[in-house]
Amino acid sequence: MNDYTEEINRRRTFAIISHPDAGKTTLTEKFLLYGGAINLAGSVKGKATARHAVSDWMEIEKERGISVTSSVLQFEYGGYCINILDTPGHQDFSEDTYRTLMAADSAVMVIDASKGVEAQTRKLFKVCVMRKIPIFTFINKMDRDARDTFDLLDDIEKELGIATCPVNWPIGSGKEFKGVYDREKKCVISYADTEKGTKEGRATEIPVAQEDMLRAQIGDDAADKLLEEIDLLDGAGADFDLEAVRAGDLTPVCFGSALTNFGVEIFLKHFLQMTTTPLARKADVGMIEPTENAFSAFVFKIQANMNKAHRDRVAFMRICSGRFDAQMEVRHVQGGKVMRLSQPQQIMADDRKILSEAYAGDIIGVFDPGIFSIGDTLCSPKEKFQYEGIPTFAPEHFARVRQIDTMKRKQFVKGIQQIAQEGAIQIFQEFNTGLEEIIVGVVGVLQFDVLKYRLENEYNVEIRLDSLPYEHIRWIENKDEVDIEKLMGTSDMKKVKDMKGNPLLLFVNPWSVGMTLDRNKGLVLTEFNKN
């Protein structure tokens, strides 16, 4: 066993997913608060104070109070080194979330207690199921009036097709929220109200067997209801099975309120007991084990201009095996070069700390001079394997982009290419032209706003966006066997190419795809493009 095995085994790397406004960013902040990584949690929306959530660093996020890009945060708690990937909840930025889930070993799903499972949760959950990621559920906002607890669990099981096992059980909701019942300890944990943004708050544990004490603490009505629900739960609920949790078939459920800190630390402790050490990853040479192989990593995210003063690009990578040392040389497999990674850093939103070492399970950022792409593999110089590619999702909205001031051509091309390399947008050109006319494709329309905002604020370029009617895009899988010039299409089809010169077809109507395939025997079209 290598001497770094112990360091790797104390790593826990997870993504937080939810529908917008379920309280995901607030929960992330409270984790950091318990880990001592921050002293005062920010007001996520920036209403109560001038603070913003630590994980929201982009100016547009602070203005709108939403997360539009995934953040990477690391903190220590109870002997564990925890890497949190905080993802955007808004569906227009779900592609960033899909990529981020590739770097996580498990996911924490945050659900609003008054709303239950919402549309975006469903979509993200499907990605977790596809990857067989273990899911841990935190039902948040119990400090507000909530739906019936059994209904909430039923909702998760019906909507998401996963069995639930409550780890604890809420006592009331809204003004009547008295705390939670811990099923393992068989005791009620009640809280004195906590100040917003602080972790101080007195928790009182009362064994449920001491009924008089329990009734004195939470009242007769709440005690009667709780005892009845415990009987129901013990009789009908799914048994806890750690193997089923780790296989992604059973989700442990905790209840609480991230805003007031009710139940957050309980959830964190249970989660750390149940979740796993960093998992093995699939490469073209088989499974790569975290502790048994030398250094390897893959790039899952690229972000430009995190530091306005430096105009830099950071490539985020998930270390999959071994130990990383800032002095070591690594092989960039796709680039075919052996190199030293420049300015390796741990990033806490927009704060950075230069790293000398990191281990499997960690997420690090490195300076990118424009050579890395999403999905690239890095490994020790002796190795030459590649991790599985990260799928590029088909854009659903298209617009033609024109710069208003033609003198700023250079900044425009640089800006739009850099933002495209991050994966936030996809850019296409007319088949026989250069970059005079650029077509931008996005998964969600809000990404157009972000593009416009960032070009103006980061590159000083004003643009005009003219929306196009195309809604369907197909990559040509067998491009080497097809003469694109002679391709017989439909009147609503447009031939374009992506930044790597790959030919694509855009269609207005879904049936045009089938007609084009019928007219061109042997043509193979695909909805996804793997980097």
Side-chain angles (χ1 to χ4, degrees), residues 137-189:
T137 303
F138 183 74
I139 295 186
N140 191 24
K141 301 194 180 179
M142 291 305 299
D143 56 310
R144 299 184 189 177
D145 290 334
R147 287 174 56 181
D148 176 76
T149 315
F150 285 105
D151 284 353
L152 282 167
L153 296 179
D154 207 34
D155 196 21
I156 295 170
E157 297 195 353
K158 277 191 185 141
E159 289 281 350
L160 306 180
I162 189 169
T164 60
C165 178
V167 171
N168 60 29
W169 194 257
I171 303 161
S173 67
K175 288 190 171 67
E176 299 302 311
F177 183 45
K178 303 280 199 290
V180 292
Y181 164 67
D182 188 308
R183 294 184 69 198
E184 190 185 11
K185 289 183 178 175
K186 294 198 178 341
C187 73
V188 164
I189 303 165

Side-chain angles (χ1 to χ4, degrees), residues 84-95:
I84 300 185
L85 296 145
D86 179 25
T87 63
H90 199 290
Q91 63 181 18
D92 284 9
F93 305 103
S94 53
E95 197 176 356

Side-chain angles (χ1 to χ4, degrees), residues 472 474 488-490 492-493 505 507 509-521 523 525:
H472 308 277
R474 294 293 184 272
M488 294 285 292
T490 52
D492 67 341
M493 183 188 91
L505 304 176
F507 301 92
N509 301 303
W511 59 83
S512 302
V513 181
M515 285 174 77
T516 302
L517 286 168
D518 290 343
R519 290 175 183 177
N520 300 274
K521 295 298 171 210
L523 176 69
L525 301 178

Side-chain angles (χ1 to χ4, degrees), residues 419-465:
I419 294 169
Q421 281 162 338
E422 294 174 21
I425 59 168
Q426 291 177 51
I427 51 177
F428 311 101
Q429 294 159 242
E430 297 275 358
F431 204 72
N432 293 317
T433 65
L435 278 171
E436 299 83 52
E437 285 228 329
I438 291 177
I439 293 170
V440 172
V442 297
V443 174
V445 287
L446 206 50
Q447 286 175 317
F448 285 136
D449 292 354
V450 174
L451 172 65
K452 204 167 189 296
Y453 182 95
R454 289 189 63 190
L455 283 172
E456 283 174 20
N457 286 273
E458 294 171 19
Y459 300 92
N460 200 22
V461 174
E462 281 191 66
I463 57 161
R464 193 169 75 237
L465 287 160

